[in-house]
Amino acid sequence: MATAAEIEKQAEAREVRNRWFLSAPALIIILLAASGPLLIVLFYSFLTPGPYGDVVWKFSTEGWVSVFLERDIFDDTLSFASAHLTIFWRSLKLALMATVATLVFGFPTAYFIATRPERTRDIWLFLITIPFWTNLLIRTFAVLQVIRNEGLINTALINLGIIDQPIQMLYTDFAIMVGMVYVYLPLMVLPLYASMEKLDFRLVEAGYDLYATRWQVLKRIIFPLVRPGVVAGSILVFIPAIGAYVTPSVLGGGKNMMFANLIELQFGQGRNWPLGAALSITVMAIVMVALLVYVRNTSGSEVRHG
Amino acid sequence: MPDTPGKNAIEVRGVRKVFGTGEAQVAALDTVSVSIRENEFFTLLGPSGCGKTTLLRLIAGFDFPSEGEILLYGSDIAPLPPFKRPVNTVFQSYALFPHMTVAENIGFGLEMLGKPRAEIDARVAEMLKLVRMEKLAKRRTSQISGGQQQRVALARALAPQPKVLLLDEPLSALDYKLRKEMQIELKRLQHETGITFIFVTHDQEEALTMSDRIAVMSSGKILQVGSAREIYDRPAVRFVADFIGETNFLDASIDSIDGGKAKVTLKSGATISATVADGFKPDGDATVVIRPEHAKAVKGTGDISGVVENVVYFGTDTHVHVRLDDGETFTVRQQNTRGAMMEFERGERVGIVIGDDAAQILKD
Ligand SMILES: Nc1ncnc2c1ncn2[C@@H]1O[C@H](COP(=O)(O)OP(=O)(O)OP(=O)(O)O)[C@@H](O)[C@H]1O
Ligand SMILES: [Mg+2]
């Protein structure tokens, strides 16, 4: 006769087995499709660049050294690779700004949709996803058409007599920002909506009842309760934003590079694949650490809230 | 009720509330007018879906009347958003903030009013003691039982000392004993704080024992407003008599009416006297209403007679269910006294004596 404790233990073991079994397909795909290529990149970062791109199979740490340091071509001395830092800093800044901007625009949008009657919500969500139907490149060129010197905004402003010289918006950080906000907004709205939909709006009423103004209700009740959506949305926007390639190369021109453009440069004209590989791993590691800190802090502050 | 306007905490004037449009339209409140006096324990009593919550929501400011107006101490509150109304609500669903502790929930209203921390803490401690939740102050509201949640909801609404407290079935999740205790506690609180309570319940016993006045509602209308005694002893309409307490209905024909009194002949042939509700002029046939405790079962003949179907012993009294000769059922409630206990057996023939003034004739 098995005791109750034994039966419980067996049930638990069965549960664990089932869980592994059910998640096996996903795990296999992740292992093969994500970890495999990453390992190749990591491996390449320790090789020597070939003369016409590609790599020669000889161990070298030069790729990693040049992530952080610059070797002077004349006297071979090392100095700090400030260009890389500048580009990384710009990427980080733009990605953060884009995340905040999508949050600022996405929050009211998601709130609006979540407070519509159930039947019309689907229509609004459908409208939000329409931009996904179009290729990213085309959407980015659409933004370009709007903000370039002969574009919609400048033409309109000149015709209205508000300005007489076009405002230079294209090929600035601002242009990259606008492009990223436009492209990534749905990625913020959808998870925000998902958590707002679950929000019990009677709590909002309870807040009003207890003398909280609209702003206080937002800050003290709605925001803490939809925090999971804010966290998810921020991550979904921040990760592709810091790795953005198409948007900065179309809207930022040649000089306002972001990190992805720098990496691409090493694999292309730069002919320094190990450096490109090392840069990729570096940015990935930084993003991972940043996300861990972010997630830990936001979920921790929820417990301490109030 | 001819009240002086200044004395009324809340005055509801001709309020209609319609939900939906076109075909799907429902009038949740159909031209309701009622005055609630200052420092009164006022109860809205009625079956599920009769519009009790809707009326509270209009007073709290979460919804707006389709027609009519609501006055708070004589002034129209329509322009005030809920957070500017000195009115707090104990929600039917509690609506406690899940991301805050019990103590933070209770202190929320005071915090929003900008009270100093020390005052908030003192008041929260006082409220926790009042609802006997001191030990659970640090718990999340998702980690306490339904009854405990209800008490937190009560404490949270009371903490800011509103002028009017709206309570939407605040005791429904409590067990019998705690419920009785909280009833007494609520009454005491209401008395001490001088806060006007508008209390919603569909439990008639709760309504009768706690209220200064009761409004009986049915499908969006207020049928009668009065003290527990008035409602019970002199129901204005048949629905009220039926809803409050147990009632027997007998068909009768009216012989004569003299002022508030009528002589009626029952189907059994017996003639009894009955009171007629104010302002009601019945003619011909009528339904006579008799409370179970106003009739008496006897061995032998009475005004009507029948066969005992069931005898239920309730401790303090006994209910005798009788199948009358005309097929209707009739319930008699008699008190149990130690000495003279009248024993009835199932199947026994009994007579029922209807006391003077026991019968009433009511509007449908
Ligand atoms: N937002 C709404 N939309 C449409 N109909 C509503 C809405 N709120 C309430 N009603 C309807 O109005 C009527 C009264 O509802 P209300 O909630 O006031 O009843 P209640 O007396 O509080 O009932 P209960 O005792 O079950 O809580 C019901 O028929 C209900 O279906
Ligand atoms: Mg209700």
Side-chain angles (χ1 to χ4, degrees):
Chain A
M1 275 292 273
T3 65
E6 276 165 23
I7 293 174
E8 191 189 2
K9 202 172 275 174
Q10 279 168 9
E12 253 165 44
R14 200 162 44 238
E15 179 104 338
V16 170
R17 237 184 356 258
N18 278 343
R19 233 177 281 157
W20 276 106
F21 182 68
L22 290 172
S23 47
L27 286 176
I28 290 169
I29 289 174
I30 288 171
L31 271 176
L32 292 181
S35 312
L38 262 181
L39 284 175
I40 296 174
V41 173
L42 186 64
F43 182 67
Y44 268 43
S45 72
F46 287 106
L47 297 177
T48 311
Y52 308 106
D54 211 333
V55 285
V56 287
W57 289 71
K58 195 161 130 271
F59 178 81
S60 158
T61 54
E62 194 65 20
W64 281 99
V65 169
S66 29
V67 168
F68 305 102
L69 301 171
E70 248 163 343
R71 195 179 293 278
D72 195 290
I73 26 175
F74 299 111
D75 56 11
D76 220 32
T77 52
L78 290 170
S79 61
F80 191 67
S82 57
H84 293 175
L85 194 70
T86 312
I87 292 171
F88 179 74
W89 187 238
R90 175 186 295 123
S91 304
L92 190 67
K93 193 182 68 184
L94 285 176
L96 280 176
M97 279 164 60
T99 309
V100 171
T102 49
L103 185 60
V104 168
F105 292 116
F107 201 92
T109 313
Y111 190 84
F112 173 83
I113 299 174
T115 48
R116 288 315 94 190
E118 214 141 324
R119 268 171 296 125
T120 45
R121 279 185 217 164
D122 290 343
I123 299 171
W124 287 107
L125 282 179
F126 176 73
L127 291 177
I128 288 287
T129 55
I130 281 184
F132 282 138
W133 301 1
T134 322
N135 180 285
L136 172 65
L137 197 59
I138 294 170
R139 275 184 286 160
T140 311
F141 273 109
V143 175
L144 183 137
Q145 287 303 318
V146 173
I147 63 171
R148 73 197 169 102
N149 286 2
E150 300 80 30
L152 208 64
I153 295 177
N154 275 318
T155 319
L157 288 178
I158 289 171
N159 286 346
L160 287 170
I162 296 170
I163 50 171
D164 31 63
Q165 287 297 312
I167 304 169
Q168 179 66 44
M169 288 182 285
L170 194 57
Y171 307 136
T172 60
D173 284 356
F174 171 77
I176 301 177
M177 258 284 290
V178 170
M180 290 204 297
V181 168
Y182 169 61
V183 167
Y184 298 131
L185 193 59
L187 296 180
M188 180 61 89
V189 171
L190 294 177
L192 271 180
Y193 167 78
S195 56
M196 275 186 204
E197 197 208 5
K198 279 186 259 138
L199 182 71
D200 182 355
F201 281 90
R202 286 174 298 193
L203 297 177
V204 174
E205 286 186 346
Y208 286 136
D209 190 61
L210 293 161
Y211 311 108
T213 59
R214 289 180 183 86
W215 169 245
Q216 282 167 326
V217 164
L218 181 69
K219 202 177 90 185
R220 295 292 306 277
I221 293 160
I222 300 176
F223 206 76
L225 291 174
V226 301
R227 187 174 263 133
V230 174
V231 172
S234 308
I235 292 174
L236 282 183
V237 171
F238 181 76
I239 292 181
I242 200 166
Y245 171 73
V246 170
T247 312
S249 54
V250 173
L251 298 174
K255 55 184 184 10
N256 292 324
M257 255 194 259
M258 279 178 70
F259 217 79
N261 308 99
L262 178 67
I263 293 170
E264 190 266 349
L265 196 66
Q266 306 312 321
F267 284 98
Q269 294 161 319
R271 290 183 202 157
N272 194 345
W273 288 25
L275 174 59
L279 284 170
S280 307
I281 303 280
T282 309
V283 72
M284 210 187 80
I286 292 172
V287 168
M288 252 166 65
V289 170
L291 284 181
L292 278 178
V293 171
Y294 175 65
V295 169
R296 177 149 307 170
N297 278 347
T298 43
S299 54
S301 68
E302 196 186 346
V303 177
R304 275 187 276 106
H305 186 271
Chain B
M1 315 122 268
D3 292 315
T4 47
K7 280 279 182 201
N8 287 333
I10 295 275
E11 235 174 288
V12 178
R13 288 190 184 159
V15 164
R16 260 173 72 81
K17 178 67 189 174
V18 181
F19 287 112
T21 47
E23 288 287 292
Q25 221 172 45
V26 262
L29 289 177
D30 197 359
T31 344
V32 166
S33 294
V34 64
S35 299
I36 296 154
R37 296 172 195 148
E38 191 172 7
N39 197 7
E40 181 173 43
F41 198 116
F42 191 89
T43 298
L44 298 173
L45 175 65
S48 185
C50 70
K52 307 181 294 288
T53 300
T54 305
L55 184 54
L56 286 198
R57 287 177 60 81
L58 295 181
I59 296 172
F62 304 132
D63 280 323
F64 294 94
S66 313
E67 270 171 48
E69 55 182 5
I70 299 172
L71 310 185
L72 177 75
Y73 286 94
S75 57
D76 192 357
I77 50 172
L80 292 183
F83 54 86
K84 293 220 177 107
R85 299 187 184 190
V87 172
N88 285 141
T89 309
V90 180
F91 291 86
Q92 192 167 9
S93 58
Y94 322 140
L96 297 178
F97 305 127
H99 56 298
M100 299 182 197
T101 64
V102 167
E104 284 164 358
N105 263 277
I106 298 175
F108 188 81
L110 295 164
E111 207 181 311
M112 292 302 114
L113 286 171
K115 294 280 191 275
R117 193 74 245 171
E119 187 187 328
I120 297 176
D121 290 343
R123 184 105 184 107
V124 168
E126 189 187 327
M127 284 295 125
L128 282 168
K129 190 150 166 259
L130 182 74
V131 296
R132 287 172 224 167
M133 293 282 296
E134 300 103 313
K135 292 217 179 67
L136 302 176
K138 292 267 147 24
R139 285 269 191 95
R140 285 298 177 108
T141 53
S142 51
Q143 297 162 341
I144 57 178
S145 76
Q148 289 166 340
Q149 289 181 15
Q150 216 160 39
R151 282 185 280 161
V152 175
L154 186 62
R156 186 179 70 173
L158 273 172
Q161 292 172 299
K163 286 221 171 82
V164 177
L165 187 69
L166 309 175
L167 304 105
D168 200 349
E169 308 196 17
L171 306 180
S172 57
L174 306 182
D175 60 62
Y176 185 78
K177 192 152 176 296
L178 187 58
R179 187 180 176 126
K180 288 284 159 209
E181 282 175 19
M182 287 300 288
Q183 285 179 359
I184 294 166
E185 202 63 21
L186 271 182
K187 266 306 266 187
R188 185 180 67 76
L189 263 169
Q190 190 264 336
H191 197 71
E192 281 176 5
T193 55
I195 297 174
T196 307
F197 276 36
I198 305 181
F199 185 88
V200 163
T201 183
H202 54 232
D203 179 342
Q204 41 141 322
E205 189 193 327
E206 197 168 273
L208 291 175
T209 54
M210 297 182 74
S211 323
D212 294 326
R213 287 194 306 150
I214 301 169
V216 182
M217 295 182 70
S218 168
S219 23
K221 289 196 167 68
I222 292 186
L223 300 178
Q224 188 175 6
V225 180
S227 67
R229 205 187 188 102
E230 285 165 353
I231 298 266
Y232 189 81
D233 278 349
R234 277 181 280 124
V237 292
R238 185 178 167 150
F239 179 90
V240 175
D242 202 9
F243 192 71
I244 315 277
E246 270 179 276
T247 316
N248 297 298
F249 295 100
L250 292 177
D251 290 329
S253 61
I254 294 170
D255 302 336
S256 66
I257 298 188
D258 177 18
K261 288 273 179 204
K263 284 252 169 276
V264 298
T265 304
L266 302 176
K267 270 197 198 154
S268 65
T271 306
I272 59 170
S273 74
T275 51
V276 183
D278 292 343
F280 179 45
K281 295 257 172 297
D283 54 341
D285 294 337
T287 305
V288 175
V289 173
I290 300 159
R291 294 286 186 198
E293 66 274 21
H294 294 155
K296 212 172 142 207
V298 291
K299 306 202 186 241
T301 52
D303 295 312
I304 45 179
S305 54
V307 176
V308 175
E309 264 196 338
N310 210 353
V311 181
V312 186
Y313 178 72
F314 272 94
T316 52
D317 47 28
T318 302
H319 293 195
V320 183
H321 299 277
V322 178
R323 173 76 58 189
L324 298 179
D325 295 338
D326 61 12
E328 298 288 321
T329 57
F330 195 100
T331 304
V332 176
R333 181 152 79 213
Q334 11 216 48
Q335 241 178 25
N336 297 328
T337 46
R338 264 181 199 279
M341 179 113 160
M342 186 92 72
E343 301 270 5
F344 293 101
E345 306 257 319
R346 202 176 287 186
E348 187 180 344
R349 267 201 80 77
V350 289
I352 294 169
V353 178
I354 295 163
D356 286 340
D357 268 358
Q360 289 179 306
I361 299 172
L362 297 181
K363 223 183 320 193
D364 276 342

